[in-house]
Amino acid sequence: MSKKWTALCAALALTTLCGGAALAAAGDQSDPLVTKSYLDQTVIPDVVSQVETKAAARQNELKNTFSAQIEQYKKDIAAMGTGGGSSASYTLVTLSKGQTMALEVGCEVMLRVGTATVTAGTSPALIDVSTGGTINNGASLTKNHLYMATIADRTIKPTADTVKLLVRGGYKVS
């Protein structure tokens, strides 16, 4: 045989041995070879299904929690409307004759409809922010004047059947 032929046979034998070793090392029971079709048809759909199931369960949980919080918020708002409240912006409050509105310190009130008086144990009863003056116990509120309670235990009493006030701050209706 010629040297070329011997070299060719040796190269072929070496390639066969290396290729067989590579195939043997490519996958076995402890380190299996995974095909793309197995990933596409089995693994990925299973993972997607598990993620969708967990996401749906979490979505339902959040929906129930959010619904409960909305219901509690509605109850809190309803409770404020029936007996008092506190507002960072002006709120329209309607009083009927016989009701009273107790003002917390810092509460602002503006008479819009009807007539009402202020009751206080000390003077001044309220600060008239519109004029820069004060009003005392028993005085009538002037429509469209802004009043502020700077001392505790100030109350507004309607003298008309229906009184509407714009209120900002803490108050209690009884």
Side-chain angles (χ1 to χ4, degrees):
M1 286 190 158
S2 72
K3 283 187 172 188
K4 283 184 179 183
W5 186 253
T6 305
L8 184 63
C9 285
L12 184 59
L14 184 60
T15 302
T16 303
L17 285 174
C18 289
L23 288 175
D28 59 14
Q29 192 171 10
S30 65
D31 184 21
L33 179 65
V34 177
T35 64
K36 183 179 180 315
S37 62
Y38 176 74
L39 288 174
D40 291 342
Q41 296 170 4
T42 305
V43 174
I44 293 175
D46 287 349
V47 170
V48 169
S49 175
Q50 289 175 13
V51 168
E52 287 174 346
T53 301
K54 288 183 180 182
R58 181 66 177 144
Q59 182 179 3
N60 284 335
E61 179 184 327
L62 290 173
K63 182 180 175 184
N64 293 339
T65 301
F66 188 60
S67 294
Q69 288 175 344
I70 288 173
E71 289 305 313
Q72 184 60 46
Y73 179 74
K74 286 179 181 178
K75 289 177 185 175
D76 292 347
I77 293 298
M80 284 176 39
T82 59
S86 179
S87 176
S89 62
Y90 288 98
T91 302
L92 181 64
V93 177
T94 302
L95 298 176
S96 301
K97 203 169 197 174
Q99 289 184 305
T100 60
M101 175 187 281
L103 308 177
E104 294 180 8
V105 173
C107 183
E108 298 174 337
V109 177
M110 180 183 289
L111 179 66
R112 296 291 294 144
V113 174
T115 56
T117 60
V118 62
T119 304
T122 61
S123 291
L126 295 174
I127 304 297
D128 185 341
V129 178
S130 299
T131 64
T134 61
I135 62 171
N136 293 322
N137 181 41
S140 294
L141 301 181
T142 304
K143 284 184 183 173
N144 300 319
H145 278 225
L146 182 63
Y147 297 97
M148 178 184 280
T150 58
I151 303 172
D153 300 323
R154 292 346 194 200
T155 58
I156 305 290
K157 292 186 179 186
T159 54
D161 290 334
T162 301
V163 172
K164 294 186 184 265
L165 302 151
L166 289 176
V167 181
R168 178 167 63 180
Y171 66 93
K172 176 93 172 139
V173 176
S174 55

